[in-house]
Amino acid sequence: MIPIKPVTSGATTKSTSTPAEAAAAFLRPGTLHLTALPPLSLYVHFPWCVRKCPYCDFNSHEARDGFPEKEYLDALRTDLEAALPLIWGRKIYTIFIGGGTPSLMSAAGLDRLLSDIRTLLPLDGRAEITMEANPGTFEMEKFRSYRASGINRLSIGIQSFNPHHLQALGRIHDGDEARRAVDIAHAAFDNFNLDLMYALPSQTLDEAAQDVATAIGFAPPHLSLYHLTLEPNTYFAKYPPTVPDDDLSAEMQDMIQDRTAAAGYGHYEVSAYAQAGRQARHNLNYWQFGDYLGIGAGAHSKLSFPHRIIRQMRYKQPKAYLENTVKGSPVQEEFEIERGELGFEFMLNALRLNDGFEVNLFAERTGMAINAIGQALDQAERKGLLYRDHRIIRPTELGRRFLNDLQQMFLRE
């Protein structure tokens, strides 16, 4: 963390208070008092993909006739330049390039993007720089170029090694391409994540176990294992496939716990498993209520200042984002998180961590005393959903099983 200084908020708001008024605001009841800013990450969104998957609710758009790479890279730089007054003097500790399918970018395009970022932002010497990639877009030389440009971690969207399940999920790769992608990742990177899903349409327990065994056989430093959910406004929500029932899904989850633990992976977050020291630093910053600046179509930001915390969202449609960025206004929405919502927002993230969080982190990241959520903490502890002592707060095994119920207890009291 770094000591906080007054920060101009850019085009959306401007401070005109005198020193006396600023002091009065500091003492006003209900005002936040952050004594230090949290770590800052950068998220870059690439909105295009080859084909929209039927389960996907991310901001992704099929690139049927290609995509305007140069114009988009120009816009990303303009977007970042416009956001600089919000983060003057702050170092970037992690970068995540997500999508969509960022690995559709040319090697030269990715190199330009990272060069622009380095030119405009101070990066920590150990910055974790992750790019999402799909197996259907893997080429050895291209990924070697990505590595040479500065990408030091890949997150590969495998989802399954089973050709029937890949077809049901609408993926553009098959099982052999998935295995080849992991081989390329091993050759070019020493840090990567494999994304898999379970409880897939018509999937059996044995089939789920085979996917997990295949993934573990590659010894990836990190595994993300997600339960398929039928999200609103997706093809699967409109035409629901037959998926495993709750009992079978629970058996799959138990199998995953057993197999990953036996292979030496620590289960540190709801869907995340890592070898020792290989946790995803970018995602940990989210879960610990750190700050992040998001640039690109539909990207979200959460930024802290001495007495307030704001959220932003960029224009979602690529065309609207490009047009508005040229006009100097890429941000479609900006609002301050109300004091009464901060406790819930913090706990919504931090309770995803199996080991929980240190008590003083709440005050550091929200600017409020822990007793601001005291009533909900007491209630959760009485119900056996939460463990706490003078140092740590974490969900119990029961709390992890009923995490949504536990999180909702921290909605505004």
Side-chain angles (χ1 to χ4, degrees):
M1 295 184 298
I2 61 171
I4 54 178
K5 309 176 206 176
V7 180
T8 304
S9 59
T12 51
T13 60
K14 187 183 252 183
S15 174
T16 57
S17 60
T18 65
E21 289 170 335
F26 185 84
L27 296 172
R28 189 182 305 131
T31 302
L32 303 183
H33 309 303
L34 274 71
T35 57
L37 295 180
L40 178 63
S41 295
L42 176 68
Y43 175 78
V44 182
H45 192 74
F46 180 88
W48 290 284
C49 58
V50 175
R51 185 170 64 205
K52 184 81 171 178
C53 296
Y55 59 86
C56 178
D57 69 337
F58 294 133
N59 183 31
S60 58
H61 307 266
E62 292 186 6
R64 292 188 178 93
D65 301 311
F67 57 91
E69 181 173 275
K70 180 184 181 301
E71 291 84 349
Y72 194 69
L73 291 171
D74 289 344
L76 288 174
R77 177 166 182 134
T78 300
D79 189 354
L80 184 54
E81 288 174 335
L84 290 179
L86 296 170
I87 56 170
W88 283 131
R90 299 183 66 180
K91 186 179 289 188
I92 300 294
Y93 290 91
T94 67
I95 298 172
F96 195 100
I97 304 170
T101 305
S103 50
L104 289 176
M105 241 187 302
S106 68
L110 187 279
D111 188 65
R112 180 203 158 171
L113 173 61
L114 291 181
S115 295
D116 285 347
I117 290 170
R118 291 192 190 94
T119 298
L120 296 171
L121 294 173
L123 300 189
D124 180 70
R126 296 177 55 253
E128 175 192 270
I129 306 177
T130 304
M131 185 177 73
E132 287 185 336
N134 285 337
T137 63
F138 265 68
E139 300 168 15
M140 176 67 84
E141 290 307 313
K142 187 177 181 182
F143 277 81
R144 283 178 175 160
S145 295
Y146 288 164
R147 181 71 183 89
S149 295
I151 299 295
N152 55 30
R153 184 176 182 270
L154 283 185
S155 184
I156 309 172
I158 299 292
Q159 312 316 347
S160 176
F161 292 95
N162 183 307
H164 301 295
H165 296 141
L166 288 170
Q167 185 176 18
L169 292 173
R171 304 297 289 175
I172 64 170
H173 65 274
D174 59 26
D176 290 338
E177 287 175 311
R179 292 174 177 84
R180 178 174 172 270
V182 183
D183 287 337
I184 292 174
H186 256 306
F189 295 85
D190 59 4
N191 194 11
F192 62 93
N193 165 65
L194 301 184
D195 264 357
L196 279 88
M197 301 172 74
Y198 66 96
L200 306 178
S202 303
Q203 188 179 42
T204 67
L205 180 60
D206 286 344
E207 288 170 335
Q210 183 58 50
D211 268 350
V212 174
T214 301
I216 289 174
F218 286 108
H222 192 283
L223 281 167
S224 296
L225 292 155
Y226 301 102
H227 188 295
L228 173 65
T229 54
L230 308 185
E231 300 287 356
N233 303 315
T234 64
Y235 183 87
F236 273 180
K238 188 175 182 180
Y239 303 103
T242 301
V243 295
D245 60 23
D246 290 346
D247 289 340
L248 179 53
S249 294
E251 288 185 65
M252 291 179 179
Q253 178 63 52
D254 290 341
M255 174 273 296
I256 289 169
Q257 300 270 37
D258 293 343
R259 295 287 183 93
T260 53
Y265 289 85
H267 184 196
Y268 69 100
E269 186 270 343
V270 172
S271 304
Y273 305 77
Q275 295 175 348
R278 294 302 189 104
Q279 293 87 348
R281 289 167 50 204
H282 186 87
N283 289 346
L284 275 175
N285 193 42
Y286 287 155
W287 298 321
Q288 293 170 344
F289 211 51
D291 277 0
Y292 48 93
L293 172 66
I295 61 171
H300 290 252
S301 302
K302 177 246 170 186
L303 299 170
S304 300
F305 303 93
H307 308 304
R308 64 194 180 104
I309 300 174
I310 67 167
R311 288 197 181 279
Q312 295 178 330
M313 186 189 79
R314 267 61 178 165
Y315 283 89
K316 189 173 183 180
Q317 290 292 328
K319 183 179 179 182
Y321 171 75
L322 289 168
E323 290 174 350
N324 283 280
T325 301
V326 168
K327 297 174 185 176
S329 55
V331 177
Q332 183 177 17
E333 294 181 17
E334 179 178 303
F335 63 90
E336 182 175 340
I337 304 176
E338 296 182 19
R339 182 184 176 92
E341 304 294 335
L342 276 172
F344 170 69
E345 291 226 12
F346 177 92
M347 297 300 278
L348 184 68
N349 288 279
L351 288 174
R352 291 181 63 91
L353 295 168
N354 287 350
D355 291 336
F357 59 93
E358 293 187 5
V359 173
N360 62 3
L361 187 69
F362 181 84
E364 289 178 11
R365 299 292 159 87
T366 66
M368 303 188 301
I370 192 68
N371 60 16
I373 55 170
Q375 183 177 340
L377 287 172
D378 290 341
Q379 184 182 12
E381 191 173 19
R382 284 195 301 271
K383 291 187 174 183
L385 300 173
L386 198 72
Y387 168 84
R388 61 173 169 160
D389 56 30
H390 69 284
R391 188 184 63 85
I392 199 83
I393 296 174
R394 59 172 172 79
T396 61
E397 183 177 347
L398 184 65
R400 292 196 295 271
R401 189 178 306 168
F402 296 98
L403 182 60
N404 288 342
D405 297 317
L406 174 57
Q407 290 166 326
Q408 288 173 12
M409 294 174 71
F410 293 91
L411 284 167
R412 185 198 299 260
E413 296 179 355

